[in-house]
C-alpha cells in the first residue's frame, strides 16, 4: 500500500491510499471520490508527461511521494517528484 | 470571427447559447480540426448535409479529450441557432437516425420543457442501433431510445451538462401535458399480472408462466426466469451481478424496457445478438440465482458463529482463482461454471468483508471507497 499525495496548484490537496498495482485510471477514480470532480475530467501528469489510464503505478514508479498537481478548471494535473515547476 | 455567436441569435437561459457548453470543452471544440475545416460558414441547409454524414455520437474521448464531430455540430447549431421548425424537422425525419439524435440533443439543450417532452417522447419508439464513442476511444453499441432516455432523465450527456427541466409529473399537474401513454400498455398489464403472482411461489409460477407465455421465444422466457429470480435476491451479490450486467449493456431495467419495446422481428434479431454474447451465461445465472438462495440461507444461519467464520477464511486461503478457472474451461461447461460461480461469489464476499472491517478506521474507510468503485482492497 502506498500513499500518494496529490497537490493541486489551486489549493486542493488530496491524500490517496492505493496499491502499487492500481492503474492510473483507478487512481483517478479515487481522487474523484475525494475531490468531487468527475474521474474522466482528471488528468494526471508529471512535468508534461501525461500518465495513461491503463498503466499501473508500479510501472510508472510512483512510490510514497509528494506529488504536485495543478488544475485548469476541471483538469487536475500531477507533477510527480516535486522538481519545482 | 468564426467562433462568435450570430449577433441576431437570442440568448438562451440568460446567456450566450454557446456557453451551454463548458469552457474547457468549448475550447477543445474550437481547436478541433473538424470544426475548423468543416464547420466554417455553415448554414442551416449545409449543416443538414454534414449531419447526414455523421456515423457516431459521443462526448470527448482520449487522453486529450478530443471532441467528436457530433459535438462540433451541436456547437455549430448553438452558434447559428436554427428555427424551431428546422429542429423539429430534424427530429421528425425518419431516414437518418443521427440527424434525429442531433436534433433531439439540440432541442434538449435549448427548448422549453413541454416541447422537450412532447417531441422527444415519440422517439422512445425508435429502437435503431446507434454507435457511441466512449471516453476511452472505443465504440459502444446503444440505441436511439436509450439515448433519448438519457437525455430525459440524466443531467449530463456527451460531456455537456444538460439544463434542468421540470419533472414530467409537474407538467402534468400543471395541465400542460397529458399523462404519458406508452405505446405498449398491454404488455405493461401482462407484466403487472405476472408480478402479482410472484408471491405465490416458484413452481406455481413456472407452470403458469409456461402456459401463459407459450408463444414467446425461449430466450425471452429464460430472461424472465432470470429476472424473476433476481427480484428476490436483493443482497450484495445481486448488486455485483447487476453491475456486471450493466457493463455488458443489459441492466435489469433496461432489459425490461427493451423487452417491452420489441416486436417479433426484433426478437429474432436479438436471438442472434444473444447467441454472440453467449446466452449460456443467462442459464448459468439462473442456476446461480437458485444456488445463491440456498447458500444465503446457509450463510444466514452461520453468520453469528465465529468458528464458522474462521472455517470460511481457511477455505478462502486454500482456494485460488486460476486452477479453478482452468477447470471451468475444460470439462462440463455448465456444471463447472456453476461451481466456479458459487466459489467465486463466496470468495469475493469474504474479500469484501476482510477489507472493510480493518481495525484502522482510515484503512477501513479507504477500503469501503475502493469496494464501492469496484477495486480490490488495499494490500497492507
Amino acid at each position: 500500500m502506498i500513499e500518494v499525495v496529490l497537490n493541486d496548484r489551486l489549493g486542493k490537496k488530496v491524500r490517496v491510499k492505493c496499491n502499487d498495482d492500481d492503474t492510473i485510471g483507478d487512481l483517478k477514480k479515487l481522487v474523484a471520490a475525494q475531490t468531487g470532480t468527475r474521474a474522466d475530467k482528471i488528468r494526471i501528469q508529471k512535468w508534461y508527461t501525461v500518465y495513461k489510464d491503463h498503466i499501473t503505478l508500479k510501472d510508472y514508479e510512483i512510490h510514497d511521494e509528494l506529488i504536485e498537481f495543478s488544475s485548469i478548471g476541471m483538469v487536475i494535473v500531477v507533477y510527480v517528484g516535486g522538481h519545482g515547476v | 470571427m468564426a467562433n462568435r455567436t450570430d449577433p441576431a441569435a437570442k440568448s438562451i437561459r440568460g446567456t450566450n447559447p454557446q456557453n451551454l457548453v463548458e469552457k474547457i470543452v468549448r475550447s477543445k471544440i474550437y481547436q478541433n480540426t473538424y470544426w475548423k475545416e468543416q464547420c466554417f460558414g455553415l448554414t442551416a441547409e449545409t449543416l443538414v448535409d454534414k449531419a447526414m454524414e455523421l456515423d457516431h455520437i459521443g462526448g470527448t474521448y482520449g487522453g486529450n479529450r478530443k471532441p467528436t464531430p457530433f459535438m462540433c455540430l451541436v456547437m455549430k447549431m448553438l452558434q447559428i441557432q436554427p428555427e424551431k421548425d428546422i429542429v423539429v424537422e430534424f427530429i421528425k425525419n425518419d431516414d437518418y437516425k443521427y440527424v434525429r439524435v442531433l436534433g433531439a440533443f439540440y432541442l434538449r439543450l435549448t427548448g422549453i420543457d413541454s416541447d422537450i417532452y412532447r417531441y422527444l417522447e415519440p422517439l422512445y419508439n425508435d429502437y435503431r442501433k446507434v454507435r457511441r464513442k466512449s471516453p476511452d476511444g472505443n465504440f459502444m453499441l446503444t440505441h436511439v431510445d436509450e439515448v433519448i432516455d438519457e437525455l430525459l432523465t440524466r443531467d449530463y450527456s456527451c460531456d455537456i451538462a444538460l439544463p434542468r427541466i421540470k419533472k414530467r409529473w409537474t407538467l402534468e399537474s400543471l395541465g400542460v401535458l397529458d399523462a404519458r401513454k406508452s405505446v405498449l400498455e398491454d404488455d405493461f398489464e401482462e407484466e403487472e399480472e405476472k408480478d402479482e403472482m410472484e408471491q405465490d411461489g416458484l413452481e406455481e409460477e413456472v407452470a403458469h408462466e409456461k402456459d401463459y407465455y407459450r408463444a414467446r421465444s425461449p430466450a425471452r422466457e429464460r430472461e424472465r426466469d432470470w429476472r424473476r429470480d433476481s427480484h428476490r435476491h436483493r443482497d450484495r451479490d445481486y448488486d455485483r451481478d447487476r453491475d456486471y450486467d450493466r457493463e455488458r449493456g443489459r441492466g435489469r431495467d433496461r432489459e425490461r424496457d427493451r423487452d417491452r419495446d420489441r416486436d417479433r422481428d426484433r426478437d429474432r434479431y436479438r436471438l442472434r445478438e444473444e447467441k454472440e454474447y453467449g446466452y449460456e451465461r443467462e442459464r448459468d445465472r439462473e442456476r446461480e440465482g437458485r444456488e445463491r438462495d440456498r447458500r444465503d440461507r446457509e450463510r444466514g444461519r452461520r453468520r453469528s458463529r465465529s468458528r464458522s467464520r474462521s472455517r470460511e477464511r481457511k477455505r478462502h486461503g486454500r482456494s485460488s482463482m486460476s486452477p479453478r478457472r482452468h477447470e471451468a474451461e475444460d470439462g462440463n461447461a455448465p456444471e463447472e461454471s456453476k461451481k466456479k460461480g458459487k466459489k467465486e461469489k463466496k470468495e469475493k464476499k469474504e474479500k469484501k468483508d476482510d477489507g472493510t472491517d480493518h481495525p484502522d478506521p482510515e484503512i477501513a474507510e479507504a477500503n469501503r471507497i475502493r469496494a464501492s468503485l469496484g477495486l480490490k482492497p488495499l494490500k497492507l
Side-chain angles (χ1 to χ4, degrees):
Chain A
M1 176 184 86
I2 59 177
E3 185 163 31
V4 167
V5 180
L6 292 89
N7 186 4
D8 179 348
R9 287 285 156 114
L10 296 180
K12 253 183 239 169
K13 200 161 178 178
V14 159
R15 296 172 79 94
V16 174
K17 288 187 179 45
C18 48
N19 293 329
D20 60 357
D21 61 355
D22 283 341
T23 62
I24 295 288
D26 300 338
L27 180 62
K28 286 186 187 178
K29 286 190 205 163
L30 292 168
V31 170
Q34 283 195 255
T35 59
T37 38
R38 292 167 60 92
D40 52 4
K41 298 251 180 255
I42 295 178
R43 183 168 78 185
I44 299 184
Q45 74 186 49
K46 171 180 183 172
W47 191 245
Y48 299 124
T49 311
V50 179
Y51 281 166
K52 296 198 198 305
D53 283 0
H54 55 276
I55 302 185
T56 62
L57 298 181
K58 188 164 55 167
D59 291 338
Y60 271 133
E61 298 189 347
I62 298 176
H63 308 295
D64 272 329
E65 286 173 341
L66 176 68
I67 303 176
E68 294 191 346
F69 68 90
S70 71
S71 76
I72 307 159
M74 280 170 282
V75 167
I76 297 183
V77 168
V78 173
Y79 298 140
V80 170
H83 290 299
V85 177
Chain B
M1 215 193 60
N3 292 338
R4 202 159 301 152
T5 319
D6 181 18
K10 299 190 305 285
S11 77
I12 298 193
R13 302 189 192 255
T15 173
N16 185 346
Q18 290 196 79
N19 288 354
L20 282 173
V21 179
E22 299 145 341
K23 179 76 165 70
I24 295 182
V25 178
R26 219 185 317 149
S27 328
K28 297 273 186 207
I29 294 181
Y30 291 155
Q31 292 158 8
N32 185 238
T33 329
Y34 183 81
W35 172 266
K36 289 183 185 166
E37 290 174 357
Q38 317 286 348
C39 297
F40 186 79
L42 276 190
T43 62
E45 296 90 33
T46 43
L47 187 124
V48 178
D49 300 328
K50 289 277 179 244
M52 295 199 302
E53 289 166 17
L54 274 179
D55 69 346
H56 63 275
I57 68 172
T60 57
Y61 63 94
N64 289 355
R65 314 310 317 163
K66 192 157 178 283
T68 54
F70 179 79
M71 287 188 77
C72 296
L73 287 180
V74 171
M75 192 61 163
K76 197 69 196 179
M77 287 182 83
L78 284 172
Q79 206 181 39
I80 62 178
Q81 280 217 309
E83 308 269 318
K84 186 170 149 203
D85 318 333
I86 303 185
V87 180
V88 170
E89 270 312 307
F90 272 34
I91 297 180
K92 283 205 181 133
N93 111 94
D94 211 21
D95 308 317
Y96 298 95
K97 51 193 176 185
Y98 290 102
V99 176
R100 200 173 232 191
V101 176
L102 181 69
F105 202 90
Y106 180 77
L107 185 68
R108 174 65 174 85
L109 289 179
T110 59
I112 56 175
D113 301 3
S114 50
D115 274 349
I116 294 175
Y117 282 110
R118 203 180 309 143
Y119 289 114
L120 260 51
E121 268 175 8
L123 294 186
Y124 267 132
N125 299 332
D126 188 345
Y127 45 78
R128 290 179 285 190
K129 286 166 143 185
V130 151
R131 200 183 293 148
R132 189 190 197 120
K133 195 136 194 164
S134 65
D136 56 10
N138 303 320
F139 285 106
M140 286 184 337
L141 176 68
T142 179
H143 302 82
V144 175
D145 51 354
E146 283 180 57
V147 177
I148 302 293
D149 189 49
E150 204 188 316
L151 289 182
L152 285 179
T153 50
R154 306 271 174 77
D155 53 19
Y156 199 82
S157 171
C158 292
D159 277 331
I160 298 179
L162 307 173
R164 293 279 165 82
I165 52 173
K166 297 193 193 68
K167 299 276 181 206
R168 200 173 202 292
W169 54 263
T170 314
L171 292 172
E172 281 173 31
S173 61
L174 285 175
V176 176
L177 285 176
D178 305 321
R180 166 128 189 263
K181 189 171 181 355
S182 168
V183 182
L184 300 144
E185 273 199 5
D186 302 325
D187 282 4
F188 272 131
E189 285 166 9
E190 279 178 14
E191 282 287 323
E192 280 181 18
E193 286 178 26
K194 196 202 74 173
D195 281 346
E196 276 170 33
M197 279 175 305
E198 262 184 40
Q199 278 97 43
D200 296 349
L202 179 60
E203 285 80 35
E204 250 188 69
E205 281 172 288
V206 171
H208 181 90
E209 217 182 74
K210 285 252 160 58
D211 285 342
Y212 205 53
Y213 299 115
R214 217 176 315 145
R216 301 301 172 106
S217 65
R220 231 193 229 180
E221 246 188 55
R222 226 175 284 125
E223 282 168 18
R224 282 226 183 72
D225 283 348
W226 166 62
R227 252 187 287 119
R228 207 181 346 107
D229 284 343
S230 26
H231 275 304
R232 229 176 303 233
H233 304 295
R234 295 184 185 285
D235 57 348
R236 268 174 281 166
D237 294 345
Y238 177 64
D239 282 349
R240 209 182 314 115
D241 257 5
R242 195 160 26 121
D243 287 343
Y244 171 66
D245 283 343
R246 206 177 288 133
E247 272 176 307
R248 289 179 46 217
R250 291 167 174 236
R252 178 162 64 112
D253 294 338
R254 210 175 283 150
E255 197 73 76
R256 200 185 285 152
D257 285 348
R258 199 176 295 156
D259 252 353
R260 293 213 192 96
D261 287 348
R262 300 301 167 257
D263 55 13
R264 283 305 143 82
D265 290 344
R266 190 114 177 87
D267 234 359
R268 251 181 273 133
Y269 188 77
R270 275 197 55 250
L271 272 178
R272 224 180 299 136
E273 263 187 55
E274 281 167 351
K275 278 202 187 105
E276 290 171 12
Y277 289 156
Y279 63 82
E280 304 149 349
R281 290 214 197 131
E282 291 187 339
R283 233 193 305 132
D284 290 336
R285 224 176 297 119
E286 245 189 79
R287 264 195 225 99
E288 272 178 33
R290 295 201 190 103
E291 285 289 328
R292 234 184 294 134
D293 205 344
R294 219 186 309 139
R295 216 188 330 120
D296 286 348
R297 264 183 267 130
E298 287 178 22
R299 199 183 292 143
R301 252 180 275 136
R302 295 205 250 98
R303 196 163 267 158
S304 51
R305 314 277 172 99
S306 56
R307 202 152 30 116
S308 64
R309 206 179 287 152
S310 65
R311 210 181 302 141
E312 280 177 25
R313 225 178 259 141
K314 241 195 279 175
R315 203 183 309 128
H316 162 72
R318 243 186 284 135
S319 62
S320 63
M321 282 308 295
S322 38
R324 207 175 311 115
R325 226 182 258 134
H326 290 315
E327 259 175 59
E329 277 166 12
D330 336 310
N332 235 336
E335 252 195 321
E336 285 299 323
S337 45
K338 177 173 69 168
K339 249 196 284 168
K340 171 197 155 192
K342 200 163 83 169
K343 285 207 181 110
E344 226 184 276
K345 290 226 169 53
K346 221 178 224 160
E347 245 191 73
K348 272 199 191 145
K349 181 135 205 278
E350 286 165 9
K351 264 197 196 141
K352 238 194 240 184
D353 277 334
D354 287 352
T356 52
D357 55 12
H358 197 273
D360 184 355
E362 272 190 31
I363 298 185
E365 171 72 18
N367 277 333
R368 204 179 46 77
I369 296 179
R370 291 176 69 94
S372 71
L373 290 172
L375 299 171
K376 292 201 280 256
L378 290 171
K379 282 190 295 218
L380 299 163

